[in-house]
Amino acid sequence: MASRNSKLFLPFSCILLLASFILTVLSHPHDTHLRPNTLSSKDTNSSPFGSLKAMQGSHKGDTVKGIRDLKLYLAHFGYLNYHKNPNLADLEEDHFDDKLEVALKSYQVYYHLNATGTLDEPTISQMAMPRCGFPDKVIHQHTDNSFHIVSHYQFLPGTPKWPSVKRHLTYGFGPLFPTRFMPPVTRAFNKWATASGRYFTFTRATSYQGADLKISFQRVSHGDGSPFNGSGAVLAHAFPPVDGRLHFDADERWAIGAVPNTFDMETLALHEIGHLLGLDHSQFQSAIMWGSFSAGVTKGLTSDDIQGLRALYGI
């Protein structure tokens, strides 16, 4: 996010999260553009979200326990203006009102679901998918008869990017970064360099501290204001231009390639590097910048990702 001082931002994570972790993230609400992305692999039925299944079928006019958490979820990801103190009870917060219906329709449209405005089973399944925690869109005020639809690649709010004089970027690995995961991250950088038509080049720095892009494995609270949660929660997060930090959670299950019940390092590195370069999420499910991921699979760059980068930098 080049148009703002990067010190104002917490990381734009691409962190996968099931609904079970969302309330942990949202229990201390702040401006969503200042929060990292999050991901959890816990089952939704055991989440502090309450049971999503218990709310299935909820629609406008209903008052159901847990609707307040649904509002917080949609607010966190940019579909609803909703700012409430989580420590204060309000009976009206579990009421499914007009604004929530519009917000839910907007979410359904974004994820190619039927825009019913009802919390149906396909919508619940999508909310339970591992995903990047960065908001899908800039928070805006919904009206009863309109909602925002995004069609393809996007740029981070404020359109941050690296200055034209900074087209050669160096990267470094922190002292505890496993050596076996360095090659897939290097491959991810090389793929983005090729995608940019060599507008960007990336080389490994002689020192971690001197690198433009600092990549490390971290655990729990690690000094950037966005602690990880141990195994089964946050996977990674990255800062926008020109901060350059990218953190992977050392307590998660990482692998090289499509290994069941693990996340592919190169796939997540590709996604996070996209954020480091200024790209937001795409609405194309095949794109590396799509906000949701699955364990045991690999993904690569698509034409949508490449077009987004080239449009951002006028290549």
Side-chain angles (χ1 to χ4, degrees), residues 60-314:
K60 186 173 70 173
D62 289 345
T63 299
V64 180
K65 184 177 181 180
I67 291 297
R68 172 181 180 275
D69 299 332
L70 177 63
K71 293 177 181 178
L72 288 170
Y73 177 96
L74 292 171
H76 180 75
F77 291 110
Y79 297 91
L80 182 67
N81 281 312
Y82 184 74
H83 305 285
K84 293 290 185 180
N85 186 332
N87 299 316
L88 298 179
D90 183 348
L91 295 178
E92 291 300 315
E93 292 185 83
D94 280 331
H95 180 66
F96 201 125
D97 54 22
D98 292 342
K99 291 181 180 179
L100 178 56
E101 181 186 52
V102 173
L104 190 59
K105 285 182 178 180
S106 181
Y107 177 90
Q108 290 167 330
V109 168
Y110 189 94
Y111 284 100
H112 312 297
L113 303 168
N114 290 329
T116 62
T118 297
L119 189 62
D120 52 25
E121 193 279 331
T123 304
I124 290 173
S125 295
Q126 179 60 48
M127 287 180 171
M129 278 287 292
R131 61 156 295 155
C132 175
F134 182 72
D136 293 325
K137 29 176 111 168
V138 175
I139 290 184
H140 57 284
Q141 181 65 50
H142 293 282
T143 64
D144 289 340
N145 57 9
S146 67
F147 48 86
H148 182 59
I149 301 174
V150 180
S151 59
H152 51 80
Y153 63 79
Q154 301 180 88
F155 308 140
L156 294 173
T159 320
K161 56 184 179 180
W162 292 88
S164 58
V165 295
K166 197 68 175 173
R167 292 165 53 178
H168 175 70
L169 298 172
T170 60
Y171 62 90
F173 296 103
L176 300 180
F177 198 93
T179 56
R180 73 188 187 98
F181 290 136
M182 293 179 184
V185 175
T186 295
R187 288 195 296 271
F189 277 117
N190 290 338
K191 289 179 179 180
W192 276 114
T194 300
S196 73
R198 298 293 167 179
Y199 177 90
F200 282 110
T201 56
F202 304 95
T203 59
R204 187 170 173 181
T206 56
S207 72
Y208 171 72
Q209 293 300 331
D212 299 308
L213 308 172
K214 297 177 175 63
I215 306 160
S216 62
F217 266 70
Q218 304 287 346
R219 281 190 168 90
V220 198
S221 181
H222 51 279
D224 65 0
S226 300
F228 289 130
N229 289 52
S231 180
V234 176
L235 294 180
H237 53 226
F239 287 72
V242 290
D243 184 294
R245 284 176 290 172
L246 194 170
H247 299 155
F248 294 95
D249 188 350
D251 289 325
E252 297 296 341
R253 295 172 60 88
W254 298 99
I256 299 173
V259 178
N261 302 315
T262 66
F263 289 93
D264 174 47
M265 176 60 62
E266 184 175 332
T267 296
L268 268 295
L270 280 169
H271 184 97
E272 296 297 338
I273 292 169
H275 284 319
L276 290 176
L277 296 176
L279 290 180
D280 201 343
H281 292 157
S282 170
Q283 202 187 3
F284 288 172
Q285 190 167 1
S286 62
I288 197 65
M289 297 311 295
W290 171 256
S292 296
F293 292 84
S294 298
V297 301
T298 61
K299 290 182 71 174
L301 298 178
T302 67
S303 59
D304 185 65
D305 303 305
I306 296 169
Q307 290 169 13
L309 182 70
R310 294 189 174 195
L312 178 59
Y313 287 94

